[in-house]
Amino acid sequence: MSRVVRHHLLRALMGLALLAGTGLPAHAGAQREEPLADAVRTALSASIANAVPPVPRFVDDRRKETYERWKRGAAERLKKRKPDELMREEFLQTVWYEATRAGLDPTLVLGLVEVESGFRKYAISVVGARGYMQVMPFWSRTIGDGDAGRLFHMQTNLRFGCVILRHYLDIEKGNLFMALGRYNGSRGRPEYPNAVLGARKRWEDAVAAEPAPRVVASVTSASPGTR
């Protein structure tokens, strides 16, 4: 076993041990396994596949600045949860990438992760849901490759979680309250959706508190012939 492999294995084991030592179960993660039409299963499987590096790309500078401002505001609030700057940067970049890829608000995803796992990568709920977005293992079998252990991988977990939430939003015809309840396995009850939406609001406030960039207007001197 190489030194690099041993290092990553040790980090994973330490994370699991730390989780066990906290005595704090994950908040939720009880999506219910339901029959899926073949077309839906195929579409969801395609959404999970085709993994590419999570590097956000922007069509113009304005959208890029929106992302940078979001990331700065979220990073400041996330420091206590993720003190390592590089890990924090990678996490937020992946959240933005996977959320926008699924047509979701990245700040909503931060709120959901906060409620679901408290930003613990190796969180396991009492019903066996795993990782940041508390994805139930049956999803690995239903639309993935069957390897539930991959749900502890950051990008894999975030991709599954975002695709699942998008699926529930589509089922609920855009009703976020009902989709969040379905994600939690408590459809129709207010506690979980209210918790996620409350957390989302706090992340939105953190981003809004981040100063917008100063725009300096350029001044071009008129040529002598136009004065």
Side-chain angles (χ1 to χ4, degrees):
M1 183 183 294
S2 70
R3 179 181 298 179
V4 173
V5 172
R6 286 199 304 271
H7 172 72
H8 287 291
L9 179 59
L10 179 60
R11 284 186 60 184
L13 291 174
M14 287 176 64
L16 290 169
L18 180 60
L19 174 64
T22 62
L24 296 174
H27 183 280
Q31 303 101 8
R32 297 176 181 176
E33 187 168 8
E34 302 173 89
L36 296 176
D38 289 341
V40 173
R41 181 182 293 104
T42 299
L44 290 175
S45 297
S47 296
I48 294 299
N50 303 320
V52 295
V55 179
R57 301 185 185 281
F58 308 96
V59 297
D60 55 49
D61 290 341
R62 183 177 180 181
R63 293 189 182 184
K64 181 178 180 180
E65 177 51 40
T66 297
Y67 163 69
E68 293 293 345
R69 185 182 182 188
W70 175 87
K71 188 172 63 173
R72 289 193 301 269
E76 186 63 30
R77 188 165 188 264
L78 193 58
K79 278 184 179 179
K80 291 183 179 180
R81 305 272 190 166
K82 290 188 174 296
D84 183 273
E85 182 177 359
L86 184 60
M87 292 180 65
R88 189 168 62 246
E89 171 89 9
E90 182 183 14
F91 175 79
L92 289 173
Q93 179 174 287
T94 306
V95 166
W96 178 279
Y97 181 89
E98 295 299 339
T100 55
R101 181 179 183 272
L104 300 173
D105 173 10
T107 311
L108 170 66
V109 174
L110 285 179
L112 188 146
V113 172
E114 178 180 331
V115 172
E116 285 284 349
S117 67
F119 296 95
R120 291 174 290 152
K121 181 177 181 179
Y122 298 105
I124 304 176
S125 77
V126 293
V127 293
R130 302 182 178 194
Y132 286 120
M133 295 188 74
Q134 290 292 275
V135 178
M136 291 292 285
F138 72 77
W139 285 108
S140 294
R141 181 182 68 255
T142 303
I143 60 175
D145 60 6
D147 183 4
R150 294 184 62 212
L151 294 176
F152 290 123
H153 177 263
M154 178 180 63
Q155 185 180 3
T156 300
N157 186 276
L158 292 171
R159 174 161 296 188
F160 266 82
C162 289
V163 166
I164 292 165
L165 181 56
R166 177 75 261 169
H167 170 58
Y168 288 152
L169 268 170
D170 292 342
I171 290 177
E172 297 293 350
K173 303 186 187 309
N175 187 318
L176 181 57
F177 182 89
M178 299 302 283
L180 287 172
R182 188 182 285 271
Y183 190 97
N184 173 251
S186 60
R187 184 179 183 273
R189 294 177 54 183
E191 295 86 356
Y192 178 80
N194 287 346
V196 172
L197 295 175
R200 175 196 197 179
K201 179 61 167 58
R202 292 189 290 273
W203 287 102
E204 288 176 340
D205 290 344
V207 172
E210 180 66 24
R214 294 181 60 187
V215 178
V216 179
S218 60
V219 178
T220 304
S221 298
S223 62
T226 61
R227 289 178 180 174

